[in-house]
Amino acid sequence: MARIGVVGAGYVGLTTAACFARLGHTVVCADVDEAKVAALGRAEVGAHEPGLAELVGEGLRDGRLRFVLGNAAALSDVDFVFLCVPTPTGPDGAADLTAVHAVLREARDAVPPGCVLVIKSTVPAGTTERVAELVGRSDVQVVSNPEFLREGHAVDDFLRPQRVVVGAEAEEAARRVVALYEGTGAPALVTRSASAELVKYASNCFLAMKLSYVNSLAELCEQVGADIADVTEGMRLDDRIGASFLEPGPGWGGSCFPKDTRALLSTAEDAHVDFPLLRATIGTNGHQAHRVVAMVRDAVGPLPLDGARLGLLGLTFKAGTDDLRDSPALAVAGLLAEEGARLTGYDPCVSADCGPVRVLESPEAVARDADGLVVLTEWPEFAELDWPNLAALMTAPVIVDTRNLLPADKVTEAGFHLVSLGRPA
């Protein structure tokens, strides 16, 4: 078993550290946030990620996992160092590698001979080779090993991955990293570092394209009298297309898709490659929030949105997480607020007010005296609500379902006027 250092105890770093400990390795995870390190040392995991807190507690009890303040302990006396630091979008749309370079300045002199430096952060193609030049040590290999973790499924995605991708110019170093995942039984792709880096961007951007495509298709269905659910069901039966990422919604968001689409477009522009399909994917997604607001405006009309009381069901960017980053629900909320709507909201994982949205304790509280409800996140429990009770609480029983989550028959039988994406009125 290996000795692993993980730099960064964020979403990716913490999952990486806890799961490698579960696979039997000895892991030290470092972060510069003193409060976070102290909490993790007590097995207190702030993120809503099923199974992660249990894995952290198990690793601490078994002595295979520990958390330290600062990077020194994660960089010395280890066989591998995994860089799991943020690479946010910079002002020009490219990935900001400031945090990566900061760690490299420490790692250059701190990592022991024979150590493999593994970049797990999402970085543009060519970064691993440039990092190897910056490190400038022939006794230290640099490898790309992108993560493919879905929020809400991160533990399962790490321990039972669909694939492990490792890129390096030295195949021996890549094989050493692949061996760390031996207990997962996943197929491994060993390739050049630039190819491995591009796999992550290519995958996320392709999924974003599917979502933008189906949202445009839903708009077309509304105009021609088709039902998007039937259309996508017919598409799913085609093995060439696949069953996933064919659900219309208020737009895509989160910590990856917005960042990765802009970063890949920036990479293409730097390489003088025209990528109109990706540009259109981003533009279509920006249009979606405005389209949802127009649907809400039509649904509650003739009442103007200025002064209308609207209840929002769901605020996170998707179900199963507490992540509000680039949430399409909040994008819609911002546009509704600009038109003067008074907003309340409920989300199972959100307790604090979000911008213009006053967060309440239950769907019933959100529905009380509301002129309309808007479903923005696909939390399964929203499909099981007491619809007659909600209708009785509202000023006007109107609901816009942007996730096509609700049982239409039960909702309409309760007296609601229901508007769904991609379906005839």
Side-chain angles (χ1 to χ4, degrees):
M1 290 297 149
R3 300 168 301 167
I4 297 174
V6 176
V7 178
Y11 172 76
V12 173
L14 182 58
T15 303
T16 298
C19 289
F20 270 142
R22 160 56 74 87
L23 292 175
H25 304 295
T26 300
V27 185
V28 54
C29 183
D31 200 278
V32 295
D33 186 328
E34 185 175 359
K36 179 188 289 185
V37 170
L40 291 173
R42 300 188 296 269
E44 297 174 5
V45 176
H48 177 79
E49 190 59 52
L52 185 56
E54 291 79 2
L55 277 191
V56 169
E58 174 189 291
L60 290 169
R61 288 191 301 272
D62 294 346
R64 292 194 302 269
L65 177 63
R66 62 190 178 97
F67 297 93
V68 297
L69 182 64
N71 299 328
L75 296 173
S76 58
D77 197 30
V78 291
D79 306 307
F80 300 86
V81 172
F82 281 77
L83 270 63
C84 303
V85 295
T87 53
T89 302
D92 59 353
D96 183 349
L97 303 181
T98 301
V100 173
H101 292 152
V103 175
L104 288 176
R105 284 192 289 270
E106 293 185 66
R108 189 163 43 206
D109 299 322
V111 295
C115 182
V116 178
L117 192 59
V118 186
I119 300 178
K120 204 155 193 64
S121 301
T122 304
V123 295
T127 300
T128 299
E129 288 191 72
R130 289 191 291 272
V131 164
E133 294 173 1
L134 289 171
V135 172
R137 287 180 54 178
S138 60
D139 61 346
V140 174
Q141 299 293 333
V142 183
V143 170
S144 171
N145 175 217
E147 54 87 12
F148 301 98
L149 306 179
R150 297 168 299 162
E151 293 191 41
H153 304 272
V155 170
D156 192 59
D157 286 345
F158 195 102
L159 295 177
R160 284 172 284 277
Q162 292 181 332
R163 78 282 205 198
V164 173
V165 177
V166 181
E169 311 324 307
E171 185 173 345
E172 184 271 337
R175 295 294 177 188
R176 287 179 61 191
V177 174
V178 169
L180 298 175
Y181 294 89
E182 187 175 341
T184 67
L189 170 65
V190 174
T191 182
R192 297 189 61 182
S193 57
S195 298
E197 291 159 340
L198 202 52
V199 167
K200 174 62 185 292
Y201 283 114
S203 298
N204 277 353
C205 292
F206 182 76
L207 296 177
M209 287 180 195
K210 286 186 73 174
L211 290 173
S212 286
Y213 177 82
V214 80
N215 279 335
S216 292
L217 198 60
E219 186 173 5
L220 179 61
C221 286
E222 293 163 16
Q223 298 303 315
V224 302
D227 188 324
I228 189 63
D230 292 338
V231 173
T232 53
E233 181 61 27
M235 294 170 65
R236 286 185 177 93
L237 296 174
D238 189 330
D239 290 339
R240 298 169 301 173
I241 295 174
S244 62
F245 285 80
L246 288 177
E247 295 81 16
W252 39 262
S255 62
C256 291
F257 283 9
K259 175 174 71 75
D260 291 353
T261 50
R262 290 192 292 266
L264 185 59
L265 187 59
S266 176
T267 297
E269 290 170 347
D270 289 344
H272 306 291
V273 174
D274 191 20
F275 210 150
L277 185 58
L278 183 54
R279 192 176 295 109
T281 295
I282 297 170
T284 298
N285 194 58
H287 162 72
Q288 193 65 7
H290 292 273
R291 194 170 92 80
V292 168
V293 170
M295 295 178 72
V296 174
R297 194 187 302 118
D298 291 344
V300 302
L303 187 71
L305 286 182
D306 187 9
R309 296 184 296 272
L310 300 177
L312 310 183
L313 295 177
L315 299 169
T316 55
F317 87 93
K318 71 171 187 175
T321 179
D322 57 358
D323 198 342
L324 294 166
R325 287 176 290 180
D326 275 307
S327 170
L330 296 185
V332 170
L335 293 174
L336 291 172
E338 286 179 9
E339 297 202 17
R342 295 156 55 190
L343 305 176
T344 59
Y346 169 76
D347 190 289
C349 277
V350 179
S351 57
D353 292 349
C354 299
V357 184
R358 184 163 60 94
V359 175
L360 302 181
E361 70 281 359
S362 67
E364 290 75 19
V366 165
R368 190 176 303 278
D369 298 325
D371 298 308
L373 294 176
V374 187
V375 177
L376 291 168
T377 309
E378 72 282 18
W379 288 102
E381 50 262 55
F382 292 162
E384 306 297 330
L385 295 175
D386 184 341
W387 300 109
N389 180 46
L390 290 180
L393 292 170
M394 297 175 66
T395 301
V398 173
I399 189 162
V400 177
D401 181 7
T402 73
R403 297 287 187 170
N404 291 357
L405 173 72
L406 307 182
D409 52 348
K410 293 181 180 179
V411 172
T412 53
E413 285 173 9
F416 276 96
H417 171 55
L418 172 64
V419 178
S420 301
L421 261 64
R423 288 173 172 165

